[in-house]
Amino acid sequence: GAHEVDQGLFRYFFGDRATQLPMTLNAQRTVQWRAPELWDHTSVALLHNVGVKPETSWSSYQYLNKFRDYNTRSALAKSDLVDDERLEYEASIKPWRELYFDLASFAKFVTLFSIYHDSGSYSILEKHLAAALNRDVYVPLSLTNASVPRGLTTKEFIPAMADKVQQLQLSEFAAILAMAKATWYIKPWIGFTTYSETRKSTWREGVSLDWVKCEPYLK
């Protein structure tokens, strides 16, 4: 064990002289909710990600709570690997994810077009984007009229989207069709999300498309 991970690191610096170290030099992340009276993030020098490692779990805690099957949960629980089902888990790994996203520079490779349809939905989207870990990846995209000056809209690429009937028929799929016509977009990846993403985080249904209505716009 002395040559592995944190134990090896501590032994390299402190040798066999140190048998006990202050919690701040090996603060276990789960202390935040198991013994909150002991936790002070401002004094933590080395954070130990015990339990679920942040790079191994990306689904929301709400989704995992609702859809992780019993056998999987039971097997993970034996190794103390179900803390990603807790609300506190997401807050506890936020610093790691912020650093990860910064180092990865995702905005160079992908844009996530964030769909809204009116001032109300844009207001909701604004709040979500303000809290996003990688804000520069997101670009608002309106299915109708833009709620911000020089904002991006689907009707710039598909003029028929100015018709409310067409908007209702194609709905969010119009965003995919519109960006397929954006010749200026040259990044290798593209993604889409909506103002209601957090509300839909526990939905398991897939996407249903009416190809009879979509086909004319694909030509």
Side-chain angles (χ1 to χ4, degrees), residues 161 163-172 213:
M161 288 302 98
D163 182 349
K164 288 187 177 181
V165 175
Q166 298 288 350
Q167 293 170 15
L168 291 173
Q169 287 181 342
L170 288 179
S171 187
E172 295 171 354
K213 294 183 174 66

Side-chain angles (χ1 to χ4, degrees), residues 93-94 97-98 101-102 128-129 131-136 138:
I93 63 169
K94 185 177 180 180
R97 285 185 173 171
E98 287 177 336
F101 286 134
D102 286 344
H128 294 332
L129 296 186
L133 294 177
N134 203 20
R135 175 62 183 86
D136 57 344
Y138 298 90

Side-chain angles (χ1 to χ4, degrees), residues 57-77:
S57 183
W58 296 91
S59 296
S60 69
Y61 75 95
Q62 300 103 316
Y63 185 88
L64 293 174
N65 261 313
K66 189 171 182 179
F67 293 118
R68 179 173 274 164
D69 67 84
Y70 175 80
N71 291 334
T72 299
R73 179 177 288 114
S74 298
L76 292 172

Side-chain angles (χ1 to χ4, degrees), residues 70-84:
Y70 175 80
N71 291 334
T72 299
R73 179 177 288 114
S74 298
L76 292 172
K78 292 178 181 178
S79 300
D80 197 22
L81 295 175
V82 289
D83 51 303
D84 55 352

Side-chain angles (χ1 to χ4, degrees), residues 151-195:
L152 203 60
T153 71
T154 55
K155 63 183 180 182
E156 291 177 35
F157 310 97
I158 307 176
M161 288 302 98
D163 182 349
K164 288 187 177 181
V165 175
Q166 298 288 350
Q167 293 170 15
L168 291 173
Q169 287 181 342
L170 288 179
S171 187
E172 295 171 354
F173 187 64
I176 301 174
L177 293 173
M179 297 316 301
K181 296 177 179 291
T183 56
W184 49 264
Y185 189 83
I186 58 174
K187 294 180 182 179
W189 297 94
I190 190 170
F192 296 89
T193 182
T194 77
Y195 76 96

